[in-house]
C-alpha cells in the first residue's frame, strides 16, 4: 500500500528525496578561489634595491593599497612655487639654531624643518607619504618616504634610525620619518648651508670646539665636538 497517497505530508517528503534511479548524476564539488596575495607598494620585492625580506610590517599596509601617492610623481617640476614660499624655504638658518654632534656634524633639529614647512605651505599643506614598508638591516630600521607639498611630489628619500632592542622600535619608526624629512627638504633648499663645506668650516671655527674628553664609567678618552656655549654632560667630562 502506498501510504503517501493517503498522507499529503509524507507525499511531499518522498517527492523531495533525490532519485536513486539516475545513474548518470555527477557529484558537484564546490571550489573556493584562493585569496590573491597582496601587491607590495613597491611592486616586486625581488629587486635588490627594494628588498623587503627583513620587513617589520606587511609591504602593502592597508592605507598604502590603492594610494596614488604610494607610487605617483604627479606635479614634479611643473612650475616654481610662489616667490613668497621660496623666500621662506631658502631663508638662511639662524646660527643660534644650529647644533653640532659629537662627531662634528652640523645639523638643524627636525622640528625646525617642520616649522619652516608650516610657515611656507601652512599646516596641512604638506605631508610625508610612505613608499614602502619598514626594513631592518642589523640594528638599523629604515623606510622610504616622499614629500608632498600642495598636492605636488617634491622629493623622495630613505630615512634610517638605529635601535638597541624591540622596545625601542616605536621610537625608531619616528626617527626614520624625521630623518627622511630632513633629507627630502634638501631639494627645497631648506638649511642648504649645512651641506656647504665653506659655511661648515666657518661655523666650527667661530662657535665650536673640539676637545679630548673622558668617559666617567669606562675611562676611555675620545676627541669630541661641542658648542662653545655648552658644557660636557655625563658621562663625558674634560680632565
Amino acid at each position: 500500500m502506498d501510504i503517501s497517497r493517503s498522507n499529503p505530508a509524507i507525499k511531499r517528503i518522498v517527492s523531495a528525496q533525490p532519485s536513486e534511479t539516475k545513474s548518470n548524476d555527477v557529484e558537484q564539488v564546490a571550489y573556493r578561489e584562493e585569496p590573491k596575495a597582496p601587491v607590495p607598494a613597491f611592486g616586486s620585492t625581488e629587486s635588490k634595491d627594494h628588498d623587503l625580506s627583513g620587513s617589520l610590517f606587511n609591504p602593502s599596509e592597508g592605507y598604502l593599497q590603492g594610494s596614488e601617492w604610494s607610487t605617483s610623481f604627479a606635479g614634479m617640476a611643473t612650475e616654481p612655487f610662489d616667490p613668497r614660499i621660496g623666500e621662506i624655504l631658502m631663508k638662511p638658518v639662524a646660527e643660534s639654531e644650529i647644533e653640532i654632534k659629537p662627531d662634528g656634524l652640523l645639523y638643524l633639529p627636525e622640528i625646525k624643518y617642520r616649522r619652516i614647512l608650516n610657515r611656507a605651505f601652512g599646516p596641512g599643506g604638506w605631508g610625508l607619504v610612505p613608499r614602502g614598508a619598514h626594513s631592518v638591516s642589523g640594528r638599523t630600521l629604515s623606510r622610504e618616504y616622499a614629500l608632498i607639498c600642495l598636492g605636488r611630489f617634491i622629493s623622495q628619500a630613505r630615512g634610517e634610525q638605529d635601535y638597541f632592542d624591540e622596545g625601542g622600535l616605536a621610537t625608531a619608526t619616528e626617527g626614520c620619518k624625521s630623518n627622511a624629512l630632513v633629507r627630502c627638504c634638501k631639494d627645497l633648499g631648506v638649511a642648504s648651508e649645512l651641506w656647504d663645506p665653506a659655511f661648515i668650516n666657518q661655523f666650527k671655527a667661530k662657535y665650536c670646539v673640539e676637545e679630548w674628553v673622558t668617559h666617567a664609567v669606562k675611562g676611555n678618552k675620545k676627541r669630541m665636538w661641542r658648542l662653545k656655549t655648552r658644557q660636557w654632560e655625563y658621562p663625558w667630562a674634560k680632565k
Side-chain angles (χ1 to χ4, degrees):
M1 178 179 179
D2 188 354
I3 61 175
S4 64
R5 293 180 179 178
S6 59
N7 191 328
I10 295 179
K11 184 175 182 180
R12 286 195 299 270
I13 295 175
V14 172
S15 62
Q17 298 299 317
S19 173
E20 297 180 357
T21 59
K22 297 181 179 180
S23 58
N24 294 329
D25 286 350
V26 179
E27 182 179 4
Q28 299 296 320
V29 179
Y31 292 94
R32 178 176 297 176
E33 184 179 357
E34 292 295 329
K36 296 182 180 180
V39 179
F42 266 125
S44 173
T45 59
E46 297 178 358
S47 169
K48 183 177 180 181
D49 294 336
H50 297 150
D51 180 17
L52 303 179
S53 58
S55 169
L56 285 178
F57 312 109
N58 190 325
S60 55
E61 294 176 25
Y63 60 90
L64 290 179
Q65 294 183 7
S67 170
E68 173 188 354
W69 289 118
S70 66
T71 56
S72 176
F73 295 89
M76 180 178 180
T78 53
E79 61 178 335
F81 284 115
D82 184 86
R84 180 196 67 83
I85 294 177
E87 290 178 4
I88 295 174
L89 295 173
M90 296 186 292
K91 181 180 179 181
V93 176
E95 294 180 342
S96 60
E97 295 184 338
I98 299 175
E99 302 285 346
I100 187 169
K101 294 185 177 181
D103 61 2
L105 179 67
L106 300 184
Y107 71 99
L108 190 67
E110 56 83 18
I111 189 61
K112 303 292 180 64
Y113 288 88
R114 284 180 162 85
R115 289 173 181 170
I116 292 172
L117 292 176
N118 281 335
R119 287 199 300 269
F121 303 109
W126 64 276
L128 282 176
V129 181
R131 293 287 221 179
H134 289 90
S135 295
V136 178
S137 177
R139 286 295 181 179
T140 300
L141 185 70
S142 68
R143 192 177 200 182
E144 198 143 6
Y145 288 88
L147 175 61
I148 311 300
C149 299
L150 300 183
R152 294 167 52 183
F153 173 91
I154 300 300
S155 182
Q156 181 171 323
R158 178 170 290 273
E160 57 185 355
Q161 178 67 44
D162 292 337
Y163 70 99
F164 300 99
D165 55 59
E166 292 185 0
L169 284 176
T171 301
T173 58
E174 284 298 304
C176 284
K177 184 177 180 180
S178 295
N179 185 236
L181 174 64
V182 171
R183 292 176 173 179
C184 285
C185 281
K186 286 193 293 183
D187 287 355
L188 288 174
V190 179
S192 60
E193 55 266 49
L194 298 184
W195 282 269
D196 183 346
F199 176 86
I200 293 172
N201 292 333
Q202 293 173 7
F203 183 90
K204 284 185 174 181
K206 186 176 181 180
Y207 297 105
C208 307
V209 60
E210 185 181 23
E211 298 176 324
W212 282 102
V213 290
T214 304
H215 195 281
V217 178
K218 299 179 180 178
N220 60 302
K221 293 185 176 182
K222 190 175 182 180
R223 286 187 67 85
M224 297 170 62
W225 287 88
R226 67 172 174 84
L227 292 172
K228 292 179 180 179
T229 56
R230 305 283 177 81
Q231 298 298 321
W232 294 111
E233 297 181 356
Y234 183 86
W236 297 103
K238 182 180 178 181
K239 294 183 179 180

